Amino acid sequence: MARTPFRSRLSGPSFSRLSIALHWLMLALLAAVYACIELREFYPRGSDIREGLKTWHFMLGLSVFLLVWVRLAARALTSRPAPPRGWTEVVAAAVHLALYGLMIVLPILGWALLSAEGDPVPFFGLTLPPLLAPDAARAEQIEDVHVTLATAGYWLVGLHAAAALFHHYVLKDGVLRRMAPGLR
């Protein structure tokens, strides 16, 4: 098979093991956060399992918030392969920026939402201090923004995954192999 211009440059170096591990851990956490909040709808309001799923949603969401900072530090401190040049680099940078932004903003909004509702903010046996005083109108506004951004998160994660598959199967430039060690 003939090599594309990108293949020879991109199929070699990959991300650090730490960056790869954090990438896939973040994906697992995000999937769990979304699954908890979506699956709660199958259970009656006030039921123990519904409340448990909501609590896990909150705690896992805050875990995402903590780990995104570790991920950003790892990104800054470890070497990264050069991105492909051209329009894909611009789109990738924008999507990555949006994903990192959501991993920071959504948990803060969730924490603020619980605070504005006057609810405790659980985090694995701890109760975090409220960010805001209880205010039902503000809680409703925060919830609307949180839900809208979370929906955008579905689309961004899907776009990110589709782009990885596009690079792998269409461009054949090795981009996916750099973050997926099993594809080497």
Side-chain angles (χ1 to χ4, degrees):
M1 179 192 319
R3 290 181 165 235
T4 65
F6 291 122
R7 180 180 288 279
S8 61
R9 185 166 58 87
L10 294 179
S11 60
S14 65
F15 289 89
S16 71
R17 288 184 183 182
L18 177 61
S19 291
I20 292 170
L22 287 170
H23 176 271
W24 295 107
L25 175 59
M26 296 297 286
L27 174 62
L29 275 175
L30 289 171
V33 167
Y34 277 102
C36 286
I37 207 63
E38 296 296 339
L39 291 173
R40 87 187 191 295
E41 293 296 327
F42 291 105
Y43 300 95
R45 289 186 185 272
S47 67
D48 287 344
I49 195 158
R50 183 182 177 109
E51 294 306 310
L53 286 168
K54 285 171 41 180
T55 298
W56 275 104
H57 173 78
F58 306 144
M59 293 188 306
L60 293 173
L62 289 167
S63 297
V64 167
F65 179 72
L66 291 176
L67 280 176
V68 74
W69 298 107
V70 174
R71 181 123 188 251
L72 287 167
R75 185 179 168 105
L77 297 174
T78 60
S79 62
R80 294 190 320 242
R85 298 288 176 225
W87 66 271
T88 59
E89 180 180 19
V90 174
V91 174
V95 170
H96 281 113
L97 181 64
L99 285 169
Y100 280 113
L102 287 177
M103 288 186 280
I104 293 168
V105 171
L106 281 170
I108 292 171
L109 285 170
W111 188 347
L113 173 59
L114 287 175
S115 300
E117 289 175 337
D119 292 334
V121 182
F123 188 67
F124 299 103
L126 301 173
T127 301
L128 301 180
L131 295 178
L132 303 169
D135 181 335
R138 181 178 283 167
E140 192 172 318
Q141 293 170 337
I142 294 169
E143 184 175 18
D144 289 344
V145 174
H146 184 76
V147 168
T148 300
L149 290 177
T151 301
Y154 279 123
W155 289 98
L156 284 170
V157 169
L159 178 62
H160 181 68
L165 294 173
F166 176 77
H167 276 279
H168 189 69
Y169 291 108
V170 177
L171 297 179
K172 299 179 189 221
D173 59 9
V175 166
L176 179 59
R177 282 191 298 278
R178 298 181 313 174
M179 191 53 84
L183 291 177
R184 293 188 186 280

